[in-house]
Structures are given as structure tokens and as C-alpha cells.
Amino acid sequence: MSATFRAQAVASALGSERHGAVGKSVAHDSAHLHVRGAATYIDDILEPRGTAYAALTTSPIAHGLLKHIDLNAALASEGVIAAYTAADIPGANQYGAITHDEPFLAEGKVEFVGQPVAVVVARSMREARVAARKVRCDIEALPPILSIEAALAANSLFKKLEVVRGEPSSAFANAAHRTSGAGVIGAQEHFYLEGQIALAVPLEDGQMHVYVSTQHPTEMQQVTATILGIDWKDVISECRRLGGGFGGKEVQPAQFVAIAALAARLSNRPVKLRLDRDDDFMITGKRHDFAFDYNIAFDDGGRIEAYDLTLSSRCGFSTDYSHQVNDRAMCHIDNGYSLTQLRLRNYRCKTNTQSATAFRGFGAPQGAFATEHAIESIARALGKDSLDVRKANFYSPERGMKTHYGQAVDGFWLPDIVNRLEASCDYRTRREAIREHNAKNPFVKRGLALTPVMFGISFNASFLNRGSALVSLYLDGSLLVNHAGTEMGQGLFIKVQQVVAHEFGVAADAVRSTSTNTAKLPNTSPTAASSGSDLNGMAALDACTKLKERLIPLAAKLLECAPADVVFRNGGASTASGIKTIDLKTLATRATFAKIPLTAQGFYYTPNIAWNGDTFEGTPAYYFAYGAACAEVKVDTLTGEHKTVRVDILHDVGNSLNPAIDRGQIEGGFVQGMGYLTSEELVWDEHGRLRTHAPSTYKIPTAADVPEIFNVALYEEPNHVPTIHRSKAVGEPPLTLAFSVWFAIADAISSISDRREMPALAAPATPEAVLRAINALKQ
């Protein structure tokens, strides 16, 4: 009965039928707390008695030899308790996302402006920050390498890679048409609402409890143990929620958590380290900025016959996730298009800037953007509508159904999504109306673009594709779930609650999610790669299945039916006919008397993932998520300003676990991507100092930037692979939908030349960038 039951239970949850709590637009589990300001973040935790506060001293120089650190003035400052440097670290002074090539505190050299060199501990946050500025560093300056161009010229590379598929040289030689292009797509600041923060509390016998704002509690446990020179078992890392992450709280918090723990251990008191927004900007890594250039060959219909693409990224001073980000960028250059004749080069540049890191999309937007740029160039070269060129190049039985890295493309409904959106947004009629408008209006031009998204879901590193969960049933019939994922506002906790509620036939509010805690679930993967629900939802299902397996024989006895006839619904267990019912409270109580354990641990790993980064081959995605967006903009050609007047989106979510949450992720991801491509500009000066390090100079989108007409629809085709209730990931893919805005701006600018030329427009398309592109076309 056991094996049969588990097979049937899992098959039911992986099927396309939904009922109960799953598939409903249940409110976010913390929504009522968010709107009242009652949700507890790290800075809201009641501080233990004697808590001190830490602040960092950072390097004012981008590259140099660190010869001496003078702490005397800081130690004499009011309220200061202590100050520490790398020399005070009892453990190791090295960490990193993959390669341990970053120091917690600079030692012997500094490699970017903003690199932490010392930490000051004081009685108040203000006193700590004032004193930190009094630390004096003797640094012998060395020439810095700051840009992609400078790194390429100096051969300052972490890695270079070339991939060739087919015979592109021959295809180029025989092609009817060729064109070329180049561009840049800038970096992006995460700008999470809750900045980097950690609270470290010493425990008895040398243990440490760190309260962290992170997507990766296990990594925070690891770095705390590393810097203190203790075992992982002596560190508890806990996170109830974080105020936004977007990839910036995957590995980036490690430095601050570790330094807070160091200060707590050495001062023997709880220590809170909270960065102000300027320091957060100056110290933490950003999205990788890329430069790209391409040559592309195509036939009279715009179908790609050969593609030669170079991607170069600014990685910063350490590797962080740069190899993985660049791998993902290279994987996602196809964006739904068949590329059988390909030469792809990738340069991963080491620079004296903040170490670029994970960011929502993880390289996919940069890679896909380059190819979409090339598609637009083809359209202009042939005088065709870019949408027609896109559709002509989609994967198909004729063009091929295998990616350039060797993965078969299954469940490919991107053409259907694009066709449906094209019809529902009235693309062709609007295209003609915009052409007529631009012919009559010399100053305010309108632009239109419809762009697709094809996004692979899973970590390329197969061992990271794992989730774990602990489900407990209490004697009052309520349930508690603890899992490996972290809640950063994306709605993961409520989705997992819905999965558990569904299995036991109760409402979602009968289940509570608790803090992610390494003392409960060890060795967890980060909540990243859009896989939180896929991994932890399945792990919770596994735990529920094990728990129900124990309860069903007892329930069958109490209901006087066969075990196969027991179902969980309406708040308890009942016969399939519903004639007899026993509520969950009574069942839990009787189970306790029967000595049946009411806690079960579940585990899940994603099958069929394999990747070789050296040969650039494998199956890095369990499945693909698809979407399409159509954006219409108006551009003032005298000021360079633009306004997004309408956006239509159709996005693939599989069988949605929670349509309201998924819709929110689509809307939020799109607006964040719109900021990335239009307003969020990071500027470093010739000395390596980041000049845009506050909201006064770095412009994220506001409510006023949301499109005037914003139509979002869900494409709910059940996932073709067995994910939790056949749902699909929705965290990262929607950001790439914002390509439609940038290409609509380019379309408006291009109307100046009657769409004959692809404008030399940078991303982000700030007013200054737009004006430069306009002036270049007019020359």
C-alpha cells in the first residue's frame, strides 16, 4: 500500500487538475502585516541587551597596496567600543560565491573604491559611522582597470570562451544578405527596499546566531563559520523575510554577516551592522554590464543563416557568480530563435570595480538583448516589420528544435503566445496608425515593438536544484511548514502554504510558514534561478505525502473504509463518498495516542539537469517559460524624454499556483526591467568612484512610470513536465518582457530615417542617450 499510495499522491499533485487551496488568488501571507508596517525585518527585531552597532571603513582608491591602517582616531571617537581589521580575524579571510577570491576585510591591497578595510563598533549606529570615517589608510595607488574596453586592451580576463556550431564561415560566404551591429547594455543596482543588514548574537559555548536578510541562509552560516574558525554546527543562520533581493542578497550579504559575527565574537556582545544606502551602493555588486557586437547573415525572408556574436562583460574585481552569469547569457542568446550556424565569443573582464553579481535574470537579459538587437537590424536591412522577422526565426521542425547548447526544445508554445498577443493587442492596425502619426508629427514620435521571451528554468549546476521541507501537524489540526526557500516578497511562502493546505484539505490560513533556519533544515540551496516554488513546493509535497501515508491507515480504521477510499478535504479526512468525516484535529489527537509521529521531512531534486561549461553543452533547463510583450511609446525628439503609453503582456505560468501572486511578479518584473533599460544608469568616473550612489542620481521607476494602459494576461497551459501542480516559474522571465519598451523607443527614433537604420542607442535609453541617437541619425 505504501508505494502505491505515494505514487498515486504524487501523480495527483503533478497532474493538471486543481482544486482546494491551489490555483486560487490567496493573499500574500504577510500582506496584512506589510500594509500596517507590522512585518518584522532584521532592523525590527527586538535587540538583545547590550547590542552594539558596527560601521565599515572603505577604500577611497580603486587599486593600490594597503600598507597601513591607523585606528587611533577612530578608537578615540565618542562611543567607540572597538575597531578591527583583517589582522583580527581568527579564521580565514577569504570567501566567495564559487571561488573563494574575496577578502572579508582588505589585506595587503585594495581593488575597488568602496572595498571594506576595517569595522568600527560603537554604542550607537551614528557614533560607529562617524568613527569609521576617522580611520586612516596608507595606500600606494596603482593604475586601475575600470572598463570593458580597458580590460580587453590589457587582457585582464577571468576567462574567454569561444563556441562554434555548424559551419558559420561557409554560411556567411553563401548568404544573400549580411549586416552588423554593436551596443552596450548597462549595469543595474538592485535597490532592494531593505538594505544590507545583519544582527549577530553570541551564544553559549562559542556558538553564534546570525539573523540575516539573505536569499541563501546556508551561505551565511558557512561564511560566519569561516571568519570565526568554527564548525557549521556552531552557527545558526535565520531569515524570516527580506525586503527585496533580486539576486543582490544571494552572496552579497556574506561579507556583512561575517563582519558582524566577527565584531560580535571579539567584543563579546550582540552586534548589528546596517549599511546606509550610499555605502550599500558603493560596496555591493551590480548586474553585469555587457558590450556586444555581431555580424549576421540572412535570406530574403529575414531567416538567420549565420551568426557571429561577441559578448564582453565587466565582472569586477572577483569572480563572484560571473562565470555562471556569462554561461547563462550565452545560453539565452537564442530567445526562441534557431541558431544552427553560430560563432559565439565571450570575454569575462576583471576590473577594479565592485564585483558584479547575480541579478534577476542572471545573464539571460544581456544575452537575449544582443540577439533581439540583431533581429531589429535584419528587419531594417530588409525593410520588414521586426515582428515578422522574429516569427520567421522561431524554433520549428523546419529550422530545428534543438538549442545551440544541445538541449531539445519541448513544450514550445512561444509562437502561439506571440500570435495570440499580436491579435489581442491589435498590433497591425496600431503599426499602421503609428506610421501615419510619425509622418505628420516632426517632434513627438511614436514607436511600437512586440518582443518574445524564452527563459530556461533551473540552476546550471545540477546539485543546486534541490529543495527540502519540514511539515508538522499539531493536535489542534493546524499545520506548520518550514522549507529551504526564503521569502523576499515574491510570494513563495504563501504558495508553499497552499500546496500543504491542498494536501490536507484545509484553507491556506490553516498553515503557517516559519523562518528559514539552518538549525532545522541544513545545507540548503539559494532561493534563486526562479526555482523557489518548483523545488520547495515539491519538497513540501513529499513531506505531506509521507505524513499522510502514516495517517491514512488510522483514518481508514476510524472511517471504517479501505485506505484507498480516504481523501483529505473540507478540513479533515473523509470517505470518497463524503458520507463519513473526521476532522483534522480529532485525527491528529488519535494519531498521537496511536504513537504516530506528526512531523515529516521532504526532499526533492530536479531531474535530468546536466551542464558542461567548458564544452558548452548539456541540459541546463528543466523546462522553458515563455512570454511576449507589446509596448507603445512616445518620444520627444527635442528633449529625449519618453513615455510608455501602453503595454500588453501574455505570459506563460503553467497551471498557476496563485494567479494574483504571479500577476504581481509579471507586473513588477516588467517595471523593473523597464527601469533597467530606460532610466537606471550607473556611472563610474575616471578614478573608479561610483557617482550614481543614491536616489538623487540613480533613477528607479516610480508609479508615474507605470504604463497608462497595462494589460496583463496569463497563458495557462499546464507545464509539459511534472512540476508542482504543473505550474511554471515566474520570478525572472518577466523582466525580459521589458525589451519591448527599449525596442519601441528605438522604433520611434528610427522613424526619423523612415526605419532604414538601427539607431545607435545605448541601454539604458536615458534622455541623453536618446538625444545622442537622434542626433546621430540626423547627421
Side-chain angles (χ1 to χ4, degrees):
M1 190 276 291
S2 173
T4 301
F5 166 74
R6 294 190 67 194
Q8 291 175 342
V10 171
S12 174
L14 300 185
S16 60
E17 292 186 7
R18 294 173 294 167
H19 56 85
V22 166
K24 293 183 178 178
S25 291
V26 180
H28 191 289
D29 61 294
S30 297
H32 64 293
L33 301 175
H34 292 154
V35 297
R36 289 161 41 209
T40 301
Y41 295 89
I42 302 300
D43 213 24
D44 301 313
I45 295 173
L46 188 63
E47 295 171 354
R49 184 174 60 186
T51 296
Y53 305 87
L56 299 173
T57 299
T58 61
S59 172
I61 291 175
H63 190 203
L65 301 177
L66 180 58
K67 295 192 168 183
H68 179 67
I69 303 173
D70 184 354
L71 302 175
N72 290 324
L75 291 169
S77 188
E78 183 177 356
V80 169
I81 297 167
Y84 307 111
T85 67
D88 298 300
I89 294 175
N93 188 28
Q94 291 292 121
Y95 77 104
I98 306 295
T99 303
H100 291 184
D101 58 354
E102 297 185 46
F104 294 112
L105 293 169
E107 187 173 17
K109 61 180 178 180
V110 293
E111 295 191 83
F112 71 95
V113 175
Q115 184 172 7
V117 298
V119 56
V120 176
V121 183
R123 293 175 302 189
S124 72
M125 190 67 72
R126 184 180 186 280
E127 288 171 328
R129 289 174 176 172
V130 168
R133 285 162 172 74
K134 296 181 180 179
V135 174
R136 294 290 173 262
C137 299
D138 181 8
I139 302 172
E140 180 184 333
L142 298 173
I145 296 173
L146 302 175
S147 66
I148 291 173
E149 296 76 15
L152 291 174
N155 199 33
S156 178
L157 302 173
F158 288 117
K159 185 178 181 179
K160 58 182 177 181
L161 187 64
E162 181 171 350
V163 174
V164 178
R165 297 289 181 260
E167 298 181 359
S169 297
S170 175
F172 269 111
N174 296 320
H177 305 279
R178 295 177 61 170
T179 191
S180 61
V184 295
I185 181 166
Q188 186 180 20
E189 166 64 30
H190 300 87
F191 217 111
Y192 24 65
L193 291 181
E194 178 195 30
Q196 297 285 356
I197 184 171
L199 173 62
V201 181
L203 304 177
E204 65 180 16
D205 200 24
Q207 299 177 82
M208 187 67 67
H209 193 152
V210 289
Y211 296 90
V212 292
S213 176
T214 183
Q215 298 169 239
H216 199 350
T218 289
E219 176 128 357
M220 303 309 112
Q221 176 191 33
Q222 174 191 348
V223 296
T224 300
T226 296
I227 198 169
L228 298 182
I230 60 178
D231 293 336
W232 289 27
K233 67 177 174 56
D234 296 321
V235 179
I236 299 171
S237 174
E238 182 175 355
C239 175
R240 170 55 186 91
R241 63 173 60 85
L242 51 152
F246 313 118
K249 291 188 178 176
E250 193 169 342
V251 68
Q252 294 293 293
Q255 185 171 32
F256 314 115
V257 171
I259 292 173
L262 171 71
R265 166 56 53 82
L266 297 180
S267 66
N268 196 31
R269 67 185 72 209
V271 170
K272 179 186 287 185
L273 173 56
R274 183 186 71 231
L275 299 188
D276 67 19
R277 185 63 66 178
D278 293 88
D279 286 342
D280 205 318
F281 264 82
M282 295 296 292
I283 297 171
T284 61
K286 324 298 178 192
R287 186 191 293 277
H288 292 68
D289 53 326
F290 272 63
F292 61 88
D293 61 82
Y294 57 83
N295 286 286
I296 195 160
F298 47 96
D299 66 13
D300 292 341
R303 288 174 286 270
I304 297 170
E305 296 187 334
Y307 189 26
D308 188 320
L309 173 65
T310 299
L311 297 172
S312 304
S313 67
R314 174 161 49 178
C315 300
F317 83 101
S318 68
T319 54
D320 197 277
Y321 283 121
S322 288
H323 292 313
Q324 293 69 33
V325 167
N326 278 268
D327 280 355
R328 295 282 285 185
M330 294 171 70
C331 284
H332 283 80
I333 64 167
D334 61 332
N335 202 37
Y337 309 123
S338 178
L339 305 173
T340 57
Q341 305 294 325
L342 173 70
R343 179 177 290 107
L344 174 60
R345 303 176 188 84
N346 178 227
Y347 298 93
R348 304 168 187 187
C349 301
K350 175 178 170 62
T351 57
N352 294 115
T353 52
Q354 294 88 344
S355 188
T357 189
F359 202 126
R360 191 178 196 171
F362 206 77
Q366 297 96 312
F369 183 87
T371 299
E372 291 297 339
H373 196 282
I375 289 284
E376 294 277 340
S377 292
I378 292 173
R380 282 163 178 77
L382 294 175
K384 288 182 172 290
D385 191 304
S386 55
L387 177 58
D388 294 327
V389 177
R390 290 185 167 95
K391 293 167 72 172
N393 282 287
F394 283 150
Y395 287 109
S396 67
E398 296 75 26
R399 290 190 57 76
M401 295 297 294
K402 185 173 284 189
T403 68
H404 56 290
Y405 46 89
Q407 177 164 348
V409 180
D410 299 317
F412 185 65
W413 37 75
L414 182 58
D416 185 51
I417 290 173
V418 169
N419 288 336
R420 289 194 191 188
L421 183 64
E422 177 187 354
S424 65
C425 77
D426 202 16
Y427 177 86
R428 302 293 174 176
T429 301
R430 291 166 62 199
R431 167 61 73 194
E432 186 57 35
I434 287 172
R435 185 177 290 110
E436 292 177 3
H437 167 90
N438 288 340
K440 299 174 183 177
N441 291 272
F443 302 124
V444 177
K445 300 292 187 180
R446 287 184 176 256
L448 186 71
L450 196 160
T451 59
V453 173
M454 174 177 168
F455 196 101
I457 302 299
S458 289
F459 292 97
N460 282 34
S462 61
F463 75 95
L464 291 176
N465 293 290
R466 64 185 192 273
S468 52
L470 190 67
V471 174
S472 302
L473 173 62
Y474 290 97
L475 297 184
D476 65 352
S478 63
L479 292 136
L480 191 74
V481 59
N482 180 257
H483 56 82
T486 58
E487 176 59 54
M488 61 195 90
Q490 84 278 39
L492 172 60
F493 274 26
I494 188 59
K495 284 187 173 182
V496 176
Q497 284 176 224
Q498 287 175 268
V499 169
V500 175
H502 170 89
E503 291 302 308
F504 285 95
V506 298
D509 61 6
V511 184
R512 181 173 292 278
S513 297
T514 64
S515 300
T516 311
N517 188 314
T518 58
K520 293 182 180 179
L521 292 171
N523 309 317
T524 58
S525 291
T527 304
S530 302
S531 61
S533 296
D534 285 358
L535 299 177
N536 299 293
M538 289 291 279
L541 169 64
D542 184 48
C544 291
T545 303
K546 292 174 180 175
L547 187 51
K548 288 165 65 179
E549 185 178 8
R550 300 174 196 159
L551 292 171
I552 281 179
L554 174 62
K557 182 178 179 181
L558 296 172
L559 294 169
E560 299 178 320
C561 69
D565 291 333
V566 175
V567 295
F568 285 84
R569 62 188 177 196
N570 300 324
S574 67
T575 59
S577 64
I579 295 174
K580 291 185 178 181
T581 300
I582 180 171
D583 64 74
L584 209 52
K585 177 180 178 180
T586 302
L587 181 59
T589 302
R590 295 296 292 269
T592 298
F593 290 144
K595 306 179 186 65
I596 296 173
L598 296 180
T599 294
Q601 185 168 351
F603 181 79
Y604 173 78
Y605 67 90
T606 308
N608 306 321
I609 302 297
W611 179 247
N612 186 324
D614 293 325
T615 62
F616 198 72
E617 293 177 312
T619 308
Y622 186 38
Y623 61 89
F624 297 98
Y626 306 101
C630 181
E632 181 177 342
V633 303
K634 54 184 179 182
V635 174
D636 188 328
T637 61
L638 299 180
T639 66
E641 295 175 294
H642 85 276
K643 178 70 175 176
T644 304
V645 296
R646 177 176 170 179
V647 167
D648 296 84
I649 292 172
L650 181 58
H651 194 75
D652 167 33
V653 296
N655 274 344
S656 175
L657 295 175
N658 187 318
I661 293 292
D662 287 349
R663 186 181 296 273
Q665 285 291 290
I666 294 166
E667 293 172 353
F670 179 87
V671 172
Q672 186 176 50
M674 192 169 65
Y676 169 43
L677 294 168
T678 64
S679 65
E680 299 183 41
E681 185 177 26
L682 287 163
V683 178
W684 286 264
D685 67 17
E686 67 276 13
H687 302 293
R689 294 174 296 194
L690 180 63
R691 289 305 198 181
T692 49
H693 53 79
S696 58
T697 50
Y698 184 81
K699 299 302 182 181
I700 64 172
T702 68
D705 297 303
V706 174
E708 297 171 3
I709 301 172
F710 199 4
N711 300 318
V712 176
L714 305 183
Y715 183 86
E716 293 195 79
E717 181 75 20
N719 200 340
H720 72 286
V721 295
T723 52
I724 185 69
H725 291 279
R726 299 281 176 171
S727 61
K728 281 193 173 185
V730 73
E732 293 174 290
L735 184 136
T736 314
L737 295 167
F739 285 1
S740 58
V741 174
W742 192 93
F743 285 107
I745 294 171
D747 182 63
I749 297 170
S750 186
S751 69
I752 295 172
S753 65
D754 197 24
R755 302 191 77 252
R756 291 189 303 272
E757 297 179 50
M758 184 65 188
L761 178 64
T766 61
E768 296 89 344
V770 169
L771 282 178
R772 285 193 293 268
I774 290 171
N775 291 335
L777 277 184
K778 289 180 177 179
Q779 291 177 356

